[in-house]
Amino acid sequence: MMVCQFGGSSVADASQIKKVKAILDSDKERTIVVVSAPGKRFSGDEKVTDMLLSCAALAQNEKALEEKFEEVKDRYRDIAEGLGLGRDVIDGELEAVLEKMKMGAGRDYAASRGEHLNAILISKYLGWNYIETEDTIVIGENNKIESESYTNLASVIEKGKKYVIPGFYGRSPSGEVRCFSRGGSDITGAIAARAVMADVYENWTDVSGVYSSDPRYVKSAHVIPMLSYKMVRELSEVGASVFHEEAIAPVVEVNIPINIRNTNSPEDDGTIIGKEPEEKGVVGVSAKGGLSKIYVRKLMFFKESGVRHKVLSLMHLYGIKPCYTLYGCDSISWYFETKQIENIDTEEMCLRIKKEFSLDEIELKKGFAVVGLVGKGIEETMEYVDALDELRKNKIVPSSISLGGSYTTFVIGVPEDRKLDAVNCISERLFISK
C-alpha cells in the first residue's frame, strides 16, 4: 500500500489535478492520497491559503470579506469546471466556510479551509471517500502529534477502499481546528503512512527529488538518489526546503521509506529517503542566510556552573533563539536569525548581558550565512578540506567552521553576500571534478 501526498503546485488547477489522477490510476497500490490547498499557477499568482488568511484578517478587523472571498470561490469553481464537475459542485461548502469566517472562526480555521475544500473537490472528481482530519488528527502544543492520531485515522480506513485526506490541519486536544506550520501537508501524509503502515510514502511535488544544491543557482546540482532520514533533516537545517523536516518523525520510527517525486515528470525515480547510502562522501551542499552572530568572552568563563544556560535564558527574553553554537576556551559564539532582533535595541541588550555576567567582551554582527556539507562519513572522507581550499581560492573567508557536532554535517560560516558563491564553488569542486 502506498500513501501519496501532493503539494500545492501539484493541485493548483484542473490540469494539475488530472495529472494526479493519472498517477494514482497507474498503480493500484496508491489507495490513500493527501492533498494540499491549491498553490500558485504561475509566477505572481496567489496561493489559496494566503487568500483565506487575508479574509481572516479582514474579519478580525471587522471589515467586509465577501469581495476577497469571491476570489476563493472563483478558484475552486474554475477547478471544478475544468474537471467537468460543474462550477457549483461545492458551493454549499464554500458558503459554510464564508459564514463561519464572518463569525470570527479564527486564523487556523481560515488557513485550514484551503485543504478542506480541495480534498472535498478532489474526492468528488476521483470518486474516492473523504476523511476529515479534524475528526482524526490531534495536534498538541508545539505541533506535537498526539499518538491517538494514528489509531484514529487507522480506525476509519477500510481495506479495499480509497481515500482522500486534507493535509495541514487537525484539531487541538480541546477540539479547535489547529494547523501545522506552512508546508505541513507533508506531515499529514507521514501520519497517514504510519497509521496504515504503508510500504512507501510518496511525496509528490514540482521537482524530481532532493537536489545536491539549489538547481536555481547551482549548475552542478543533481538529484540525490538516496538519503538517510538524518541527512534530510540536516539538509533542511542548512536551507534545503524540498521536504518538511518535521514530516520525518512519524515514519522514521517504523522505517517507512519516503519517495520524493515530480508530478510533472512521474517517470523520474526521485529521491528515496530511508537507509543510509552505501558510499561515503558529501551528497548535498546547502546554505542558509539571514543570520547574525553574537560573541561573548570572559576569562575562566566556564568555571561558573550553568553560565551558558543563564546567558541563553537572558537572550531568550529578547527573543533570540540560536540555531548554531561554537565554543572557545573562554568564549561562545551563537548564530541566530537576524529577524529575531528587528524590533529590539541590540545595544541595550548587549550592555545588559555584559554587565550581568561581567563579560570581558561581547560583540554582535549581522550579515552571515552558513553553508552545510551533508553526507556519510564526513570526517573520514575529509572532503571538507577540499571545500575549505575552494573557499580560499575564491577569497571567501569563513567566519567559523564546525566539525564533529554531527557525523553527517560540516558547517561553515560565510559572509551572506558570498553565500551563493560559496555553494557554487564547493559544489563544483565536490561534484563536477570527481
Side-chain angles (χ1 to χ4, degrees):
M1 177 188 295
M2 298 181 192
V3 170
C4 305
Q5 191 273 329
F6 288 88
S9 61
S10 298
V11 291
D13 57 24
S15 64
Q16 288 297 103
I17 294 171
K18 288 176 181 178
K19 293 178 185 178
V20 170
K21 184 178 187 303
I23 289 167
L24 296 173
D25 289 345
S26 69
D27 194 322
K28 64 180 181 181
E29 294 299 315
R30 294 181 175 124
T31 58
I32 298 173
V33 58
V34 176
V35 298
S36 297
K40 292 184 178 182
R41 297 161 294 183
F42 46 82
S43 178
D45 194 18
E46 190 174 12
K47 296 179 179 179
V48 165
T49 299
D50 291 328
M51 295 162 68
L52 287 162
L53 288 172
S54 296
C55 291
L58 290 169
Q60 185 178 11
N61 293 313
E62 299 182 350
K63 295 181 179 179
L65 60 114
E66 286 85 354
E67 183 177 347
K68 184 65 180 178
F69 195 80
E70 198 63 32
E71 296 177 21
V72 176
K73 288 181 179 179
D74 286 342
R75 279 294 295 272
Y76 285 107
R77 287 168 176 166
D78 288 347
I79 292 172
E81 185 174 42
L83 296 175
L85 297 174
R87 288 181 67 85
D88 60 352
V89 68
I90 60 165
D91 272 6
E93 293 286 344
L94 285 162
E95 290 300 329
V97 170
L98 173 60
E99 290 306 312
K100 199 160 183 178
M101 289 179 67
K102 285 165 66 176
M103 295 171 62
R107 182 180 174 84
D108 271 37
Y109 175 82
S112 71
R113 294 306 89 181
E115 278 75 11
H116 169 78
L117 292 164
N118 218 24
I120 290 175
L121 189 57
I122 291 172
S123 68
K124 291 179 182 295
Y125 172 60
L126 296 175
W128 291 18
N129 300 286
Y130 172 82
I131 292 177
E132 176 55 79
T133 47
E134 188 179 344
D135 298 334
T136 52
I137 294 177
V138 184
I139 306 171
E141 293 300 319
N142 299 315
N143 284 346
K144 180 179 181 293
I145 303 163
E146 300 296 342
S147 59
E148 63 195 271
S149 302
Y150 305 114
T151 52
N152 288 348
L153 202 50
S155 69
V156 296
I157 293 174
E158 298 180 33
K159 189 174 181 180
K161 292 187 177 182
K162 297 182 177 182
Y163 297 91
V164 178
I165 303 173
F168 185 45
Y169 72 96
R171 72 168 188 269
S172 69
S174 57
E176 299 87 8
V177 171
R178 176 171 287 172
C179 295
F180 292 113
S181 56
R182 291 296 288 263
S185 288
D186 290 354
I187 304 174
T188 308
I191 294 170
R194 176 167 173 173
V196 299
M197 292 303 293
D199 297 308
V200 64
Y201 167 33
E202 291 186 333
N203 188 274
W204 294 83
T205 180
D206 55 3
V207 292
S208 294
V210 180
Y211 279 78
S212 57
S213 301
D214 192 327
R216 295 172 299 177
Y217 310 114
V218 181
K219 292 180 181 179
S220 61
H222 58 273
V223 173
I224 307 168
M226 183 172 291
L227 287 167
S228 69
Y229 299 115
K230 184 188 297 183
M231 288 175 183
V232 171
R233 179 80 173 87
E234 299 203 8
L235 271 172
S236 296
E237 185 63 22
V238 288
S241 58
V242 172
F243 189 68
H244 199 303
E245 66 270 21
E246 292 179 26
I248 291 172
V251 295
V252 69
E253 297 172 358
V254 289
N255 294 313
I256 296 172
I258 304 164
N259 191 185
I260 309 295
R261 302 188 67 176
N262 190 342
T263 305
N264 302 312
S265 298
E267 67 281 0
D268 294 346
D269 293 331
T271 299
I272 296 289
I273 302 170
K275 296 179 181 179
E276 282 195 352
E278 293 184 6
E279 292 186 12
K280 293 181 180 179
V282 174
V283 295
V285 180
S286 189
K288 179 180 182 179
L291 301 179
S292 291
K293 182 174 76 169
I294 188 166
Y295 166 83
V296 300
R297 186 186 66 81
K298 178 183 178 182
L299 185 64
M300 311 296 282
F301 192 39
F302 298 108
K303 287 293 183 180
E304 180 185 341
S305 178
V307 67
R308 182 191 68 86
H309 176 72
K310 292 174 184 176
V311 177
L312 267 178
S313 296
L314 183 51
M315 287 165 57
H316 286 170
L317 291 178
Y318 286 91
I320 295 177
K321 296 180 179 179
C323 47
Y324 300 99
T325 307
L326 297 102
Y327 293 95
C329 177
D330 293 315
S331 62
I332 310 176
S333 290
W334 284 289
Y335 285 97
F336 60 91
E337 294 181 355
T338 301
K339 64 183 180 182
Q340 295 174 358
I341 56 170
E342 286 178 351
N343 299 312
I344 69 169
D345 185 337
T346 55
E347 185 176 348
E348 185 274 333
M349 177 191 72
C350 289
L351 286 172
R352 180 178 174 184
I353 294 173
K354 185 174 184 179
K355 181 178 180 181
E356 195 154 324
F357 295 96
S358 302
L359 299 175
D360 296 329
E361 190 176 353
I362 183 168
E363 182 181 64
L364 190 153
K365 288 185 176 181
K366 300 178 182 180
F368 292 99
V370 292
V371 177
L373 283 64
V374 176
K376 181 179 179 180
I378 290 286
E379 295 182 15
E380 298 174 48
T381 63
M382 294 189 68
E383 287 178 307
Y384 59 88
V385 176
D386 295 332
L388 291 172
D389 183 52
E390 203 61 34
L391 294 182
R392 178 187 62 80
K393 289 179 179 178
N394 286 271
K395 296 181 171 56
I396 301 172
V397 181
S399 58
S400 61
I401 56 175
S402 177
L403 176 68
S406 164
Y407 292 132
T408 57
T409 306
F410 176 62
V411 179
I412 311 168
V414 299
E416 184 162 22
D417 61 0
R418 301 300 306 276
K419 176 183 72 172
L420 292 179
D421 295 334
V423 173
N424 264 295
C425 71
I426 291 172
S427 296
E428 185 170 347
R429 174 71 172 267
L430 298 184
F431 301 138
I432 293 181
S433 63
K434 284 185 178 179

